[in-house]
Amino acid sequence: MSDTLRLAQALIRCPSVTPDDAGCQTLIAERLHALGFACETLVSGPDDFRVTNLWALRPGATPDAPVIVFAGHTDVVPPGPLERWSSDPFTPTVRDGKLYGRGASDMKASLAAMVVACERFLRAHPQPALTLGFLLTSDEEGPARDGTVVVCEALRQRGQRLDGCIVGEPTSVQRTGDMIKNGRRGTLSGRLTVKGIQGHIAYPHLAHNPIHLLAPALAELVATQWDAGNAHFPPTSWQVSNIHGGTGATNVIPGTVVVDFNFRFSTESTPEGLQARVHDILARHGLQHGTDYDLAWTLGGRPFLTPRGPLVDAVTAAIRDVTGLQAELSTTGGTSDGRFIATICPQVVELGPPNATIHQVDEHIALEDLEALTAVYARVLQRLAGVA
């Protein structure tokens, strides 16, 4: 049994449903401490949602050595109906060349591969021309308020320099390394409340239907092209996720309608510009802010992009060295904690195993992907340290 598989199994045995780390970071910190890392636990969040974060740092051969950080999360989503699993989600099981368990792909395999890759690299190069770091959280699958964003702010205040970061999110499609993320779209959510006057449906002249008020503006919002995207990002999208209106009775005109929506936006747009355009569209259809509607905004993260350079080149070359694949650079998909790290680190790349079964019943990873990922991470370090 390989070291990576053994560690991945140990991490899967920890039932670390958000925000509970369930001992994962202790296991990892023990391995990192043995390699010379200084490990620090940062606990954040309210009493009913305590988040565990780990920051670990191992100095390089010189004070000016590039600081390369591995980042990820130890928390997992709930397993769902246990009776639908072929084996217990927190009992790691190997069947037909695959490792099954909650978090196998997202992302305990990546964490195990990162640790073992560092062990292999430092065994061969005990005084490398790299400073190595780990940034781990138990609040990525949840609201992400007390995890990586808190650690990044602490590092910012300390003046800690980060030169490059590899996030272990499951980015691959068919085989490990066929796709990496060198950026992500921004996310901006809104909750629009349109106000009307409730009344009997048979006497509409005595009421004011907010759904009818909203409908023309909603149609324009749906039809609007917010931008055309660019060479790195697809066009910005606007999608409604929920509409709430009515009392449940069929003879009552509602007093309000609430619409939840989200932008996934490219670097061609800004949160401020998108907000202004939404308000302009609503005003064009006779809706006045504060009088006819309220709109609460939540900025989940700004877009980031790491162009070709030292980190992207090292990662793509390492993938080619180990697997023979030419990795596709992509900015598609959802958000990740890379959006927080990018505020303090100029180069952020996401690389992990195939994502076909993440968050699903019987989540799994092929053992060959587990070993390939370990080898790629180690090769990245070799290339960045100039010992490839």
Side-chain angles (χ1 to χ4, degrees):
M1 181 185 298
S2 73
D3 289 342
T4 308
L5 175 57
R6 188 177 295 108
L7 180 54
Q9 289 175 321
L11 293 172
I12 290 172
R13 289 190 188 97
C14 302
S16 54
V17 176
T18 311
D20 190 2
D21 171 69
C24 290
Q25 291 175 30
T26 297
L27 289 174
I28 293 172
E30 289 172 353
R31 300 282 283 261
L32 296 180
H33 182 74
L35 297 175
F37 283 79
C39 299
E40 177 185 2
T41 297
L42 296 87
V43 178
S44 184
D47 290 341
D48 60 347
F49 200 89
R50 300 298 278 174
V51 172
T52 306
N53 303 299
L54 175 66
W55 168 246
L57 195 66
R58 185 189 191 276
T62 61
D64 61 347
V67 181
I68 303 300
V69 175
F70 285 107
H73 59 90
T74 54
D75 60 321
V76 298
V77 297
L82 299 181
E83 66 276 8
R84 293 182 55 197
W85 283 75
S86 300
S87 54
D88 187 283
F90 296 111
T91 300
T93 305
V94 175
R95 295 193 306 272
D96 302 322
K98 301 179 179 68
L99 172 63
Y100 287 80
R102 176 56 84 221
S105 296
D106 190 13
M107 55 176 289
K108 293 182 177 181
S110 295
L111 300 180
M114 291 170 173
V115 172
V116 174
C118 284
E119 290 174 340
R120 293 179 183 176
F121 173 71
L122 291 171
R123 190 179 304 124
H125 310 284
Q127 294 297 323
L130 295 177
T131 290
L132 299 178
F134 273 74
L135 195 171
L136 306 180
T137 184
S138 67
D139 181 30
E140 195 274 345
E141 298 290 8
R145 290 191 300 261
D146 294 289
T148 299
V149 64
V150 169
V151 180
C152 287
E153 181 57 31
L155 296 180
R156 186 203 311 276
Q157 292 180 9
R158 297 176 188 180
Q160 174 63 57
R161 174 171 55 90
L162 274 64
D163 296 298
C165 180
I166 302 170
V167 184
E169 287 294 337
T171 58
S172 302
V173 182
Q174 299 294 332
R175 292 175 55 194
T176 290
D178 61 7
M179 179 179 288
I180 65 176
K181 305 290 185 180
N182 66 321
R184 294 280 190 168
R185 295 174 295 175
T187 175
L188 174 67
S189 297
R191 170 160 283 192
L192 171 65
T193 302
V194 178
K195 308 169 188 178
I197 299 175
Q198 182 175 315
H200 197 291
I201 205 163
Y203 301 95
H205 59 288
L206 299 178
H208 207 189
N209 195 319
I211 299 176
H212 295 188
L213 293 175
L214 173 62
L218 184 60
E220 182 173 348
L221 289 166
V222 170
T224 296
Q225 180 178 354
W226 303 95
D227 60 49
N230 54 37
H232 302 288
F233 289 92
T236 292
S237 68
W238 185 86
Q239 291 291 317
V240 172
S241 58
N242 292 284
I243 296 181
H244 309 274
T247 65
T250 60
N251 60 350
V252 178
I253 293 172
T256 60
V257 61
V258 179
V259 178
D260 296 319
F261 63 84
N262 176 264
F263 284 104
R264 293 300 167 103
F265 63 99
S266 76
T267 50
E268 294 297 306
S269 293
T270 66
E272 298 78 13
L274 294 172
Q275 290 173 3
R277 290 179 68 184
V278 169
H279 285 293
D280 287 346
I281 290 172
L282 294 171
R284 197 154 50 240
H285 292 277
L287 295 170
Q288 299 303 311
H289 189 206
T291 302
D292 301 307
Y293 74 91
D294 295 320
L295 182 47
W297 296 97
T298 301
L299 178 61
R302 294 178 182 270
F304 70 91
L305 177 70
T306 300
R308 287 198 172 274
L311 185 59
V312 170
D313 291 347
V315 170
T316 53
I319 291 169
R320 186 173 59 250
D321 292 345
V322 173
T323 69
L325 296 172
Q326 182 60 49
E328 177 185 350
L329 300 181
S330 173
T331 61
T332 59
T335 59
S336 77
D337 278 0
R339 67 192 190 274
F340 304 128
I341 299 168
T343 65
I344 62 170
C345 182
Q347 301 178 88
V348 179
V349 168
E350 300 175 24
L351 166 62
N355 54 27
T357 67
I358 62 174
H359 294 202
Q360 294 184 11
V361 169
D362 280 349
E363 179 182 352
H364 61 268
I365 180 174
L367 298 186
E368 62 183 7
D369 284 308
L370 190 64
E371 299 310 316
L373 188 59
T374 306
V376 168
Y377 286 155
R379 188 65 170 165
V380 171
L381 296 179
Q382 291 174 337
R383 283 193 164 272
L384 290 172
V387 296

